Amino acid sequence: MKPDANLTGLFVPLVTPFTDDLRLAPDALACLAHEALAAGGAHGLVALGTTAEAATLTSEEKQAVVRICSAACRAHGAPLVVGVGTNDTAAAITTLRELAQSGDVTAALVPAPPYTRPGEAGTLAHFTALAEHGGLPLVVYDIPYRTGQSLSNSTLNALGRMPEVVGVKYATGAIDAAAMELLGSSTPGFAVLGGDDAVISPLLAAGAHGGILASANVRTADYAELISLWQRDAAGPARRLGAELARLSAALFAEPNPTVIKGVLYAQGRIPSPAVRLPLLAACGDSVRRAADLATSRTHQAWEADARQPAPPPGATRTSGVQGCDA
């Protein structure tokens, strides 16, 4: 029997705030975590994903990020998913066991082994070993443009039948026949979570259970509302809001993730610096300004009226500095 990982709705893969001299900014991270779960209405958080620049964090920093996100999730009764990205199966098992011992992690988000490209048989063996020996439920991360390898529906369905595999972050870059087949044949207890921000609305319309969306670091409440609208079959307002948020997502991904997102969060006074670590470079001012304009525009009157719902809470557009956080 699969564990109840409660993988529906919006999961926010948090950025990792830095100071101008590239030190971890723990207070700002705590603020972002609490804001996403409280005013933002996110269902859960993802720590140490790609958006968190996990590849450039030290072991001590990774532990601090997980502690901070765990505390926020405990306070709000929310699930926490932690990214575990490596092409070393034995190392991944060790990391999973360490996370499992904490008792605060709901599941691990694990991509197909990047760079190595072991083929589907090797990938299936990799995930089987993690499932059998890691001690933690797994969310498979299917993102071929980062891993260099696609996962067929037969492989995903085989993984979905494993008791320890509770979902997939589906970020193939396309909504095609394979996506429709996956959404129509998914195993009970195996959640399909959209991971391509710009096309999350049509994926939700086709039956996805929710999304892990980097863009939801900005306008969190609106992304949560988008998922809720599709779950309530409010197709008209969902399409309008989805189109608006697709424009925001395109602007936020105009430069490598999470550089523009950090620029916008800094402009909003929510993190102390837009700094990112090499090999990333900070986003240019024009990209940040275009995204910031979309991040503060709220043309939601039409979908709000059609859905007959109250407006998203004021905290969704909070722009106060990190010093004002009540975390």
Side-chain angles (χ1 to χ4, degrees):
M1 179 179 292
K2 288 184 181 292
D4 182 11
N6 197 15
L7 297 179
T8 61
L10 174 65
F11 284 76
V12 180
L14 292 176
V15 302
T16 302
F18 299 133
T19 60
D20 283 332
D21 58 355
L22 295 178
R23 290 179 292 109
L24 180 68
D27 291 344
L29 177 59
C31 283
L32 292 177
H34 284 282
E35 287 172 352
L37 294 170
H43 182 68
L45 300 178
V46 176
L48 303 183
T50 307
T51 307
E53 300 173 71
T56 68
L57 299 179
T58 66
S59 296
E60 292 77 14
E61 288 170 335
K62 289 179 181 179
Q63 292 168 6
V65 168
V66 172
R67 282 197 305 271
I68 292 165
C69 293
S70 295
C73 287
R74 281 197 306 273
H76 295 276
L80 174 64
V81 178
V82 176
V84 177
T86 176
N87 54 2
D88 182 341
T89 305
I93 290 172
T94 298
T95 300
L96 290 171
R97 287 175 175 173
E98 291 170 351
L99 290 171
Q101 288 174 357
S102 73
D104 292 327
V105 179
T106 302
L109 178 64
V110 185
Y115 187 72
T116 304
R117 299 180 66 188
E120 292 209 57
T123 298
L124 187 58
H126 170 77
F127 279 109
T128 299
L130 301 189
E132 292 179 350
H133 303 294
L136 199 64
L138 305 178
V139 177
V140 176
Y141 191 2
D142 187 12
I143 184 163
Y145 79 89
R146 289 194 184 276
T147 64
Q149 177 175 300
S150 299
L151 299 180
S152 68
N153 279 354
S154 62
T155 295
L156 289 174
N157 286 328
L159 291 169
R161 288 190 291 271
M162 296 181 185
E164 302 86 355
V165 179
V166 294
V168 58
K169 179 180 178 182
Y170 194 73
T172 64
I175 299 178
D176 53 14
M180 296 301 99
E181 180 185 349
L182 178 68
L183 289 164
S185 64
S186 58
T187 303
F190 181 72
V192 178
L193 301 172
D196 286 317
D197 296 27
V199 294
I200 185 59
S201 189
L203 198 65
L204 290 165
H209 298 82
I212 299 176
L213 305 172
S215 299
N217 279 274
V218 177
R219 288 181 65 173
T220 310
D222 284 348
Y223 282 94
E225 177 67 2
L226 176 65
I227 294 172
S228 177
L229 287 169
W230 280 117
Q231 290 174 340
R232 303 198 308 267
D233 293 324
R239 281 195 295 268
R240 285 188 285 277
L241 179 59
E244 179 183 337
L245 294 180
R247 290 190 289 273
L248 172 62
S249 292
L252 291 172
F253 279 81
E255 298 190 37
N257 183 42
T259 61
V260 180
I261 292 173
K262 278 191 159 183
V264 172
L265 293 175
Y266 175 66
Q268 293 177 335
R270 298 175 61 196
I271 59 176
S273 170
V276 291
R277 289 178 175 172
L278 286 171
L280 292 174
L281 298 174
C284 73
D286 286 345
S287 294
V288 173
R289 281 189 289 272
R290 282 192 294 268
D293 286 344
L294 293 168
T296 56
S297 67
R298 298 185 60 78
T299 59
H300 61 278
Q301 290 84 357
W303 56 261
E304 179 186 307
D306 288 351
R308 303 182 188 280
Q309 294 294 317
T317 55
R318 172 191 170 118
T319 59
S320 61
V322 297
Q323 297 301 321
C325 180
D326 294 328

